[in-house]
Amino acid sequence: MKYIKVSNIKLNMDATIDDAKSEALKRVGLKDACDIEVLKLSIDARKKPDIKKIFTVGFSTNKDIKAKDGIAVLDQKPNYQYKITGKEELQHRPIVIGFGPAGMFASYLLAINGYKPIIIERGEQVEKRVESVEKFWETNELNTESNVQFGEGGAGTFSDGKLNTGNKDKGNRIKFVLDTFVKFGANEDIKYDFKPHIGTDVLTSLVKNMREEIVANGGEFFFNTKATDIVNDGIIRVKTNNQEFETDIVILAIGNASRDTFEMLVNNGFNVESKPFAVGLRIEHKQKDINKNQYGFEDDRLGAAPYKLTYHTESGRSVYSFCMCPGGYVVNSSSENGRVVVNGMSYSRRDGENANSAIVCSVTSEDFGTKDSLCGLDFQKSIERNANKEGEGKIPVQRLIDFKNNIETTEIGNIKPNIKGEYKLGNLKNVLPPQICKELIEAIDYFGNIIDGFNNDDVILSGVESRTSSPIRIVRDEDFQSNVKGVYPVGEGAGYAGGIISSAIDGIKTFEKIIEKYKPF
């Protein structure tokens, strides 16, 4: 039986999934087929109002189908495959530190293949974590160990849950990640939507379901357990605030906010280097205005419209939109007292009044004044302290026109902040370095030429967006091990990913390295 892919099926805006399947079969002269499914759905809005949906459909058949333009014939349905070839015996159970996307997928694959991982997570399990986060947003009382940054599911749990990635994936790992998310509770449409997302409300139950499957397959969790020391003296010893573990393998799947862990690693001789990242502000517009610009109408018949923007400033820096949240909220995602950080979040329905996105500017060691391995971390801390001071412990918020004119905002215009957490009107020029502010204004005005109203006076800014990616990279070799052998740095915090999908894939690749060397219990 062959697997057929029919692409570039262009239908009207109101076309359904069933319409696409029927058209695919019609193009190859069949009335039915096995396992027929939509593989991809994108929107072509270049000729408004004549908006088209473009589908790719796949199915299996034993009929003789000829390959031609728009029709591919494969020997079998593409699926993720791996093979355990390791011969060495593990003397101790592998330990996974951190249960964000990288740690989740490494743990899941280890568990279902008989490796019985121990998972150490500094924050709370997701049900309790949600309570801690919502309490923080309501009262501004921060739990520094369990918050938007730390806890089961990682920072992505309180985000839009976007699943798009720029990764080139020849091993069908992305498909495996999406299929796994659907298995544990995500909507089927993430398997084909051109900009798939899950939503915070769905992510929380999905993470819980995945944890329960890992436990059912021999995994063991330790929550409220922070790794405070990692050494290899013949046996790898992981000390935590609660107890000490011995192991042959550590998968270090920490998030990019794990600053105390970064410092511990440097002090323990791990090879850690500084890397570029980006900082900036959150920007809010009315979602109906974004819909009108992108689709030609204000309603949500195609869902809340996203956007993606990039610009190179006159000085040569890159400024771009990051973590754009249609119909979402700006959220206080601080993890340390005395420092304020913002991020974006959407629920699965994406039905909030505003669209928000980070508008961020690239920064390098030249901006930090030193090339020390933790110089980027220190830079983050400084602007987060500035944000805390400007907002008096709350999120500082400003109208765009006031930001341009370097004056404190005293009243809001026709765009109201859609924010989870307390906020205060202020002047964001006091938060970021002058050059970064200049670059952001230049880029936002340019983006106004692409999206009508993007740089209107009443547009809302908030800050500071400082944790777009890790400020460090924990150096690893071709086997994914650090210079401290047996320790596998993985995911976003280690500097090898940026987002849910790329982090999950890095966790999967780390699992593959481990099964090349070790056999399961």
Side-chain angles (χ1 to χ4, degrees):
M1 193 170 273
K2 299 290 188 179
Y3 190 74
I4 313 300
K5 287 175 64 175
V6 183
S7 59
N8 199 31
I9 302 172
K10 188 174 291 190
L11 301 175
N12 291 329
M13 185 175 66
D14 57 353
T16 66
I17 298 298
D18 287 339
D19 292 335
K21 293 177 181 178
S22 296
E23 179 63 21
L25 293 176
K26 179 181 176 182
R27 291 191 182 187
V28 297
L30 297 178
K31 292 184 178 180
D32 55 47
C34 298
D35 302 323
I36 187 166
E37 60 182 343
V38 171
L39 302 176
K40 184 178 180 182
L41 165 60
S42 58
I43 306 295
D44 183 353
R46 290 174 296 178
K47 298 180 179 179
K48 296 183 276 286
D50 185 24
I51 296 174
K52 300 293 185 183
K53 290 181 177 178
I54 303 175
F55 297 87
T56 299
V57 174
F59 53 85
S60 300
T61 181
N62 54 16
K63 302 292 185 181
D64 185 23
I65 305 296
K66 302 298 183 184
K68 59 181 181 180
D69 187 34
I71 299 174
V73 179
L74 309 176
D75 289 334
Q76 60 184 8
K77 183 177 179 178
N79 279 307
Y80 170 62
Q81 297 178 334
Y82 56 86
K83 187 175 181 180
I84 298 173
T85 58
K87 304 297 183 184
E88 291 188 34
E89 291 188 0
L90 286 166
Q91 302 303 310
H92 305 85
R93 295 167 69 182
I95 290 177
V96 180
I97 300 177
F99 200 63
M104 288 166 62
F105 275 85
S107 301
Y108 174 61
L109 285 165
L110 287 170
I112 65 176
N113 285 285
Y115 288 84
K116 301 180 181 179
I118 292 172
I119 298 94
I120 296 172
E121 170 55 58
R122 72 187 290 169
E124 298 167 307
Q125 63 187 54
V126 71
E127 303 96 316
K128 293 181 180 178
R129 182 186 178 200
V130 168
E131 294 176 3
S132 294
V133 169
E134 290 180 345
K135 180 181 178 182
F136 170 56
W137 288 340
E138 292 171 3
T139 67
N140 216 31
E141 296 177 19
L142 177 65
N143 180 343
T144 56
E145 297 302 321
S146 191
N147 42 61
V148 172
Q149 303 288 344
F150 299 139
E152 186 180 25
T157 304
F158 294 93
S159 70
D160 186 53
K162 280 177 286 297
L163 303 176
N164 46 300
T165 177
N167 280 28
K168 302 297 182 183
D169 178 38
K170 296 181 180 180
N172 298 303
R173 297 182 187 90
I174 293 176
K175 182 179 185 300
F176 174 74
V177 173
L178 298 178
D179 287 345
T180 301
F181 280 147
V182 170
K183 175 182 177 180
F184 290 112
N187 194 295
E188 287 272 350
D189 64 10
I190 69 168
K191 295 164 69 171
Y192 57 78
D193 195 291
F194 77 117
K195 286 190 178 294
H197 87 290
I198 298 178
T200 290
D201 48 334
V202 176
L203 274 165
T204 50
S205 60
L206 183 158
V207 169
K208 175 177 177 288
N209 294 340
M210 204 162 178
R211 177 227 307 158
E212 291 176 345
E213 181 76 0
I214 291 169
V215 171
N217 282 276
E220 186 176 4
F221 283 79
F222 291 83
F223 292 106
N224 300 299
T225 302
K226 178 169 69 174
T228 58
D229 201 32
I230 304 172
V231 296
N232 186 346
D233 55 9
I235 296 174
I236 301 175
R237 303 180 193 277
V238 179
K239 294 181 181 180
T240 75
N241 56 316
N242 297 323
Q243 62 192 101
E244 181 175 324
F245 298 86
E246 294 183 352
T247 185
D248 306 309
I249 295 172
V250 171
I251 296 177
L252 194 59
I254 54 179
N256 72 38
S258 302
R259 293 167 171 172
D260 45 9
T261 308
F262 297 159
E263 292 169 350
M264 176 269 289
L265 295 173
V266 170
N267 291 336
N268 283 6
F270 282 76
N271 189 358
V272 175
E273 60 186 21
S274 174
K275 62 178 274 295
F277 58 104
V279 300
L281 303 169
R282 279 272 149 186
I283 190 166
E284 291 186 76
H285 303 85
K286 288 186 179 296
Q287 183 62 53
K288 64 181 181 66
D289 293 335
I290 301 298
N291 290 350
K292 185 174 182 180
N293 185 88
Q294 302 295 76
Y295 297 146
F297 44 82
E298 294 183 353
D299 61 56
D300 60 354
R301 71 190 84 169
L302 286 175
Y307 62 77
K308 184 176 181 179
L309 300 166
T310 60
Y311 176 68
H312 289 285
T313 67
E314 292 180 0
S315 68
R317 289 184 192 257
S318 295
V319 179
Y320 53 93
S321 60
F322 173 81
C323 187
M324 190 269 157
C325 297
Y329 299 82
V330 174
V331 300
N332 190 333
S333 55
S334 304
S335 59
E336 299 169 345
N337 288 315
R339 301 187 181 106
V340 169
V341 183
V342 294
N343 195 6
M345 182 190 86
S346 295
Y347 294 114
S348 56
R349 290 175 59 87
R350 286 181 164 176
D351 56 0
E353 182 178 356
N354 290 354
N356 76 75
S357 176
I359 302 296
V360 294
C361 179
S362 59
V363 290
T364 68
S365 57
E366 293 181 4
D367 297 290
F368 314 148
T370 173
K371 294 188 177 181
D372 177 82
S373 59
L374 298 180
C375 59
L377 185 154
D378 293 334
F379 179 78
Q380 286 179 325
K381 288 180 179 180
S382 69
I383 61 175
E384 290 168 14
R385 281 194 296 267
N386 293 344
N388 180 74
K389 181 179 179 181
E390 185 64 23
E392 297 180 358
K394 304 172 185 179
I395 296 173
V397 169
Q398 188 174 26
R399 292 168 69 225
L400 176 59
I401 187 61
D402 295 335
F403 181 60
K404 289 180 176 181
N405 291 329
N406 195 21
I407 59 174
E408 181 177 318
T409 290
T410 56
E411 60 179 350
I412 297 297
N414 66 357
I415 301 176
K416 311 299 181 186
N418 214 16
I419 291 178
K420 295 282 188 179
E422 298 181 345
Y423 67 87
K424 178 183 179 297
L425 302 182
N427 185 359
L428 292 165
K429 282 279 184 74
N430 298 327
V431 174
L432 290 165
Q435 184 62 32
I436 301 298
C437 293
K438 178 178 179 294
E439 312 281 14
L440 293 176
I441 291 170
E442 181 184 334
I444 290 170
D445 280 339
Y446 172 80
F447 296 149
N449 298 320
I450 301 171
I451 296 179
D452 187 40
F454 198 89
N455 59 338
N456 281 357
D457 290 353
D458 285 340
V459 164
I460 292 295
L461 301 174
S462 56
V464 63
E465 180 86 27
S466 55
R467 302 187 189 178
T468 54
S469 66
S470 183
I472 62 101
R473 179 174 288 110
I474 307 169
V475 178
R476 68 188 187 191
D477 60 21
E478 292 182 355
D479 291 327
F480 281 32
Q481 296 186 61
S482 71
N483 61 307
V484 178
K485 294 307 174 187
V487 179
Y488 294 74
V490 57
E492 187 164 333
Y496 294 97
I500 292 174
I501 291 291
S502 60
S503 294
I505 289 173
D506 206 48
I508 292 169
K509 289 181 176 179
T510 303
F511 158 77
E512 293 166 1
K513 293 295 183 181
I514 289 170
I515 65 174
E516 287 178 4
K517 184 175 182 180
Y518 296 101
K519 61 183 181 180
F521 291 107

